[in-house]
Amino acid sequence: STQSTWEMLVAIADGKLTTWYYPGVVFIDRDLLPPTRVVRDDADFGRNDILVHFFGTRCAVRRGNDGAVLTHMVSPYPIMLYNHVGHKQWELAIRLCRFVKDNALWCILAAIAVKEQMLDHAETAYAAIGEADKLQYMTYIKEIPTPEGRSAELSLFMRRPQEAEQILISAGLIYRGIKMQISMFNWDKALELAVQYKTHVDTVLAFRQKHNSMFGKTEANPKFIEFGKGVEVDWDAINAKIEDEKTKEAQRPGARPYDSAA
């Protein structure tokens, strides 16, 4: 049964009442799904018991053996958190999480903050649950000078690589799109973009050679063999081009530092 006001879900599974405080987290950071799920062990349910109503913090269950309707409560804190973020009261949401001291709330806050691109608050939430790698990634995203670059990285974080690529290509951030494919080891796609837009073919070949060298591999991809014959890899020139790309991106008309109040 879905909560009629907020994005919460309850179900009877294996004789237990299970509550998903934020099921939409699977589309943002699926690692946070388990900690935002609560299974009640204080009540057993039969195979014929049916959830008939879920509103606010109350869910009604009709027992299969006698038809009696019993009311069970879920935690009120997720709804309070939803109210705060729904009204853009992020500081109040953080205070609530600190007061309750429940990792589930911090996980909900982290996911919603990512979804809303509120990176400062995402950092706070990930720090609270000890997710150092994701905290560092949020910090990295904040340092990207363009809104499109930040949006693309967040899409990539949410496991939407095609959406991330489309954002970058539509914004004309071709090098960043190529770099993203290289970082995911999508070598064919990186080369395809470089050839299509006639830029950084040597960059892709250089990083491919570096990758193969690290793992003791010999190039076997026909496309890379073909383009490798006519392109000279000069790391000094490549690094200079990369620095030039960074400078040009920072100087784009729409470039601006990350601002959570924007």
Side-chain angles (χ1 to χ4, degrees):
S1 178
T2 304
Q3 219 272 5
S4 56
T5 305
W6 306 103
E7 189 177 346
M8 294 169 60
L9 182 69
V10 294
I12 296 174
D14 298 326
K16 304 294 182 183
L17 186 69
T18 302
T19 305
W20 289 268
Y21 288 139
Y22 188 30
V25 73
V26 296
F27 303 111
I28 301 168
D29 182 354
R30 66 185 64 176
D31 295 335
L32 300 182
L33 183 62
T36 56
R37 184 190 67 173
V38 174
V39 179
R40 288 187 54 171
D41 294 322
D42 58 342
D44 290 322
F45 297 89
R47 293 179 58 186
N48 297 320
D49 291 355
I50 301 173
L51 277 165
V52 294
H53 187 61
F54 183 29
F55 184 81
T57 61
R58 296 178 177 86
C59 58
V61 179
R62 178 177 288 114
R63 290 196 310 207
N65 58 353
D66 59 9
V69 176
L70 304 180
T71 299
H72 297 269
M73 306 294 292
V74 300
S75 171
Y77 295 118
I79 291 178
M80 294 171 66
L81 182 63
Y82 282 131
N83 271 318
H84 287 321
V85 297
H87 290 90
K88 309 299 181 184
Q89 297 169 334
W90 293 97
E91 292 303 325
L92 290 178
I94 290 172
R95 288 183 195 175
L96 176 66
C97 291
R98 286 175 174 158
F99 173 76
V100 177
K101 298 178 182 178
D102 183 351
N103 266 13
L105 287 187
W106 283 116
C107 291
I108 296 169
L109 182 61
I112 296 176
V114 168
K115 180 182 178 182
E116 298 296 324
Q117 299 194 17
M118 302 299 290
L119 303 182
D120 288 338
H121 305 312
E123 282 182 324
T124 300
Y126 278 124
I129 58 178
E131 292 280 3
D133 54 339
K134 294 175 183 178
L135 166 61
Q136 292 175 353
Y137 195 65
M138 294 299 119
T139 302
Y140 158 72
I141 294 175
K142 285 169 61 177
E143 295 172 351
I144 297 173
T146 55
E148 298 91 347
R150 293 191 290 269
S151 293
E153 286 293 339
L154 283 171
S155 293
L156 191 61
F157 178 81
M158 292 185 279
R159 308 189 188 197
R160 304 172 190 169
Q162 292 181 334
E163 178 181 293
E165 178 191 327
Q166 186 58 45
I167 290 172
L168 295 175
I169 299 305
S170 297
L173 294 169
I174 308 303
Y175 167 67
R176 186 169 284 281
I178 293 171
K179 177 185 174 185
M180 183 187 73
Q181 300 297 341
I182 291 174
S183 70
M184 295 189 295
F185 305 109
N186 290 339
W187 298 107
D188 285 337
K189 186 62 178 181
L191 184 60
E192 177 187 325
L193 288 174
V195 172
Q196 179 180 351
Y197 292 97
K198 298 181 175 62
T199 183
H200 285 286
V201 173
D202 56 342
T203 303
V204 177
L205 293 174
F207 278 100
R208 172 74 171 190
Q209 289 179 10
K210 184 177 180 179
H211 171 80
N212 286 340
S213 177
M214 286 178 60
F215 292 95
K217 294 181 178 180
T218 301
E219 185 58 72
N221 188 313
K223 293 180 181 178
F224 281 87
I225 293 174
E226 178 185 353
F227 281 98
K229 293 177 181 177
V231 177
E232 179 182 355
V233 172
D234 180 345
W235 273 107
D236 289 335
I238 290 168
N239 288 329
K241 284 202 302 181
I242 291 174
E243 289 303 316
D244 185 53
E245 291 283 3
K246 292 179 180 179
T247 300
K248 288 193 296 184
E249 182 177 357
Q251 294 175 346
R252 282 166 60 100
R256 60 180 183 272
Y258 171 75
D259 182 1
S260 60

